[in-house]
Amino acid sequence: MPISGFPEWLPPQRIIEQQILDKIRSTFELYGYASLETRAVEPLDILLSKGETSKEVYLLHRLQEDENARRDDQLGLHFDLTVPFARFVTENHGKLQFPFKRYQIQKVWRGERPQEGRYREFLQADIDVVGRDTLPFHFDTEMPLVIGDVFRSLPIPDAVILVNNRKVCEGFYRGLGLEDTAQVLRTVDKLDKIGPEKVAAALVETAGATDAQAAACLALAGISAADGSFADRVRALGVSDPLLDEGLAELLQVVETAGEHAPGLVRAELKIARGLDYYTGTVYETQLKGYERFGSITSGGRYDNLASVGNTRFPGVGISIGVSRLLGLLFGQNALSVSRSVPTVVVVALPSEDRRAACDRIAAKLRRRGIATEVAPAAAKFGKQIQFADRRGIPFVWFPSEAGAASEAGETGETDTVKDIRSGEQVDADPETWQPPTVDLHPSVSAS
C-alpha cells in the first residue's frame, strides 16, 4: 500500500534518476567539490534552532523506549543537508583544509503536506563552500554557474536562477525604520503563497509596519531584472542604509558574473527571502520554464553564522537541487523517457536447457568486456526470446552456434550471430571481440 509523500520510482524512472545523478555528480566534481555523507539524524535542539521547521521534523525513537529517557537525547531526521554539514565542519575542522568544498547527495525528511513535486522523503544534491573566519564573496557567484552547468547537461527544460541578497532586504527595512527585519523577511517570503494584500496585512499585524512601510516593502519585492538595472530601481525608492548598499553591490556581482557565463541564467528577484533563519546574504531559488507554478527546484544561500567553535566562525555558501522534486514534476508530465527499461544490451538466446552453461559462458565473456548481458530465462522458441528482449527495449539478441540456433535464426554455419532486433540486421559475432555501438552500451535518457 503506497504511503503518501514517500515516492518509489519504477525501474525505468530509476534509470533516469541514476543517470541524472551521475551528471550532477560529475559536474560538481569538475568544480572541485569532494563527496561527503553525513548521518541521517541530528539532536533535536539543533534541528529546531534553524528556522520555521519545528512542525516538519520527524522524531526518531525506539518502540520500547525508556519512559525515563532524557528529553535532550531526542533525535530527529535531518530536514536538509546544510545543518548536518555545518555540524560536521565544527566537529572535524582540525582535519579539514579551508576553504572546504563538498557535495552531498542524500535523502532528507520533512513532515509537510505531500503534493505534486513535494514529498516527505526526498533526495537532495547539495554543494557548499565553507571558510575559516572569512569566505571570499566570489564563491557566492560560483554557485549559479555550477547549477547552470548541471541543468544544461540534463534533458530538461531551461531553468532560471532567481537571486536576491538578504542585506538588500534587511538594509531596506532598516532604512524604513522597521526593527524586526527577520519577521519582515519571513512574511515577504510568503508573497507567492498568500498574495500582496495578505502580506501587507501581515506586515502591519506581526512586524509593526505602517501601511506606507508595508507598501514600500512590497515595492521592493516587486523589483525583478536580468541585468544590473535592479540596483537603480531600488535606489529610486528613496531608502538609504549602509547594509542596503553592501547588499546591492554583492547582488550586482552575482548577476553580472552569471550573465557573462551564461546569458539569461540568472535574474535578480527581490521578493526571494528563503524561510530558514540562517541565511545572511545571497539567496537563490530556481524555476523550471513551464513549471513555474510548482515553485523552486533549487535553493540555497550564504550563511555566515551557522557554524562556530569558540571564537572561530565557519561562514559558508551553498545551493541544493531538489532531485526528487525535479524528477517528480517531470515524471508527472511524462517529460522524460528512457530507451529501455533495463541496463541489458544483449540477450543470449537459449537453444535448450542443456545449453545453458555454454550460454552462461558467452554472457560471462561479454560482461568481462563491460557489455551488460542476460541469458534468456527459458528455452522457448526464438521468436518468444526475441519478444522477451523487445518488450524490455533490449537492442540485441545473441544466437549461439550449433544445435540449430543459426539455422532457426535464418543463418547457416557454426559461427555465433547477433541480431539488432530494431533493424533486423544479423551478423557473425565473437563474444571476445564483438562491440555494440557506443550509444547502445547504456540506456539513453531524453526529453519526451
Side-chain angles (χ1 to χ4, degrees), residues 308-319:
S308 62
V309 176
N311 294 324
T312 303
R313 289 188 310 122
F314 299 97
V317 62
I319 195 164

Side-chain angles (χ1 to χ4, degrees), residues 123-163:
L123 190 65
Q124 286 191 179
D126 283 28
I127 51 170
D128 285 83
V129 187
V130 167
R132 186 192 294 270
D133 292 324
T134 61
L135 182 69
F137 185 78
H138 65 78
F139 287 113
D140 290 50
T141 71
E142 181 176 277
M143 295 290 138
L145 310 189
V146 181
I147 298 304
D149 285 358
V150 166
F151 287 159
R152 277 194 297 275
S153 74
L154 303 177
I156 64 174
D158 290 338
V160 177
I161 301 175
L162 312 177
V163 295

Side-chain angles (χ1 to χ4, degrees), residues 254-416:
V254 173
V255 171
E256 290 180 343
T257 301
E260 183 177 341
H261 180 79
L265 173 64
V266 161
R267 186 171 80 234
E269 193 75 45
L270 272 65
K271 66 182 177 182
I272 302 300
R274 305 296 305 141
L276 294 169
D277 288 344
Y278 53 68
Y279 293 123
T280 56
T282 312
V283 287
Y284 316 93
E285 290 190 356
T286 302
Q287 291 182 344
L288 210 58
K289 291 185 179 179
Y291 296 80
E292 291 88 352
R293 68 189 184 279
F294 295 108
S296 180
I297 56 167
T298 298
S299 58
R302 178 85 174 210
Y303 47 93
D304 286 326
N305 305 307
L306 185 59
S308 62
V309 176
N311 294 324
T312 303
R313 289 188 310 122
F314 299 97
V317 62
I319 195 164
S320 172
I321 302 172
V323 179
S324 298
R325 178 168 174 73
L326 171 65
L327 290 175
L329 294 174
L330 295 174
F331 289 158
Q333 300 297 313
N334 295 314
L336 293 173
S337 60
V338 65
S339 60
R340 58 184 186 260
S341 61
V342 293
T344 312
V345 179
V346 57
V347 169
V348 178
L350 185 64
S352 61
E353 278 300 329
D354 61 7
R355 295 286 306 282
R356 183 171 291 280
C359 291
D360 285 341
R361 286 192 288 272
I362 293 170
K365 291 176 182 178
L366 291 167
R367 291 180 192 130
R368 281 196 292 270
R369 299 176 49 243
I371 301 169
T373 306
E374 293 182 50
V375 175
K381 290 183 178 180
F382 281 162
K384 288 190 174 182
Q385 298 190 46
I386 292 173
Q387 191 178 54
F388 169 84
D390 187 46
R391 282 200 302 264
R392 290 156 180 78
I394 300 168
F396 297 98
V397 175
W398 190 282
F399 296 101
S401 61
E402 301 176 359
S407 60
E408 191 166 345
E411 296 289 318
T412 59
E414 294 302 317
T415 304
D416 287 8

Side-chain angles (χ1 to χ4, degrees), residues 145-304:
L145 310 189
V146 181
I147 298 304
D149 285 358
V150 166
F151 287 159
R152 277 194 297 275
S153 74
L154 303 177
I156 64 174
D158 290 338
V160 177
I161 301 175
L162 312 177
V163 295
N164 194 7
N165 193 302
R166 281 198 170 184
K167 294 176 184 177
V168 171
C169 299
E170 292 186 27
F172 187 86
Y173 303 152
R174 284 187 198 175
L176 285 175
L178 294 170
E179 295 182 2
D180 192 353
T181 58
Q183 180 59 44
V184 179
L185 276 170
R186 284 193 292 269
T187 305
V188 172
D189 194 44
K190 299 174 182 176
L191 191 57
D192 286 340
K193 295 180 180 178
I194 65 175
E197 290 184 6
K198 290 184 178 179
V199 166
L203 288 172
V204 172
E205 181 179 347
T206 65
T210 65
D211 290 340
Q213 288 171 327
C217 292
L218 289 174
L220 178 72
I223 293 174
S224 173
D227 55 26
S229 63
F230 71 87
D232 292 334
R233 294 171 62 186
V234 173
R235 294 188 182 102
L237 296 177
V239 177
S240 61
D241 184 88
L243 189 62
L244 172 61
D245 294 337
E246 183 181 334
L248 286 174
E250 291 182 352
L251 186 55
L252 195 61
Q253 189 175 336
V254 173
V255 171
E256 290 180 343
T257 301
E260 183 177 341
H261 180 79
L265 173 64
V266 161
R267 186 171 80 234
E269 193 75 45
L270 272 65
K271 66 182 177 182
I272 302 300
R274 305 296 305 141
L276 294 169
D277 288 344
Y278 53 68
Y279 293 123
T280 56
T282 312
V283 287
Y284 316 93
E285 290 190 356
T286 302
Q287 291 182 344
L288 210 58
K289 291 185 179 179
Y291 296 80
E292 291 88 352
R293 68 189 184 279
F294 295 108
S296 180
I297 56 167
T298 298
S299 58
R302 178 85 174 210
Y303 47 93
D304 286 326

Side-chain angles (χ1 to χ4, degrees), residues 38-87:
T38 57
R39 65 199 186 203
V41 298
E42 297 293 335
L44 188 58
D45 58 343
I46 291 179
L47 296 174
L48 297 185
S49 67
K50 305 305 178 185
E52 296 185 340
T53 57
S54 58
K55 295 180 180 179
E56 299 181 359
V57 174
Y58 279 108
L59 294 180
L60 187 74
H61 63 84
R62 292 183 294 115
L63 182 62
Q64 302 294 331
E65 190 166 58
D66 185 350
E67 294 181 0
N68 298 318
R70 286 168 34 198
R71 181 78 179 173
D72 58 4
D73 284 344
Q74 281 195 305
L75 300 175
L77 294 171
H78 56 222
F79 57 81
D80 74 356
L81 299 177
T82 305
V83 171
F85 172 58
R87 188 266 311 156

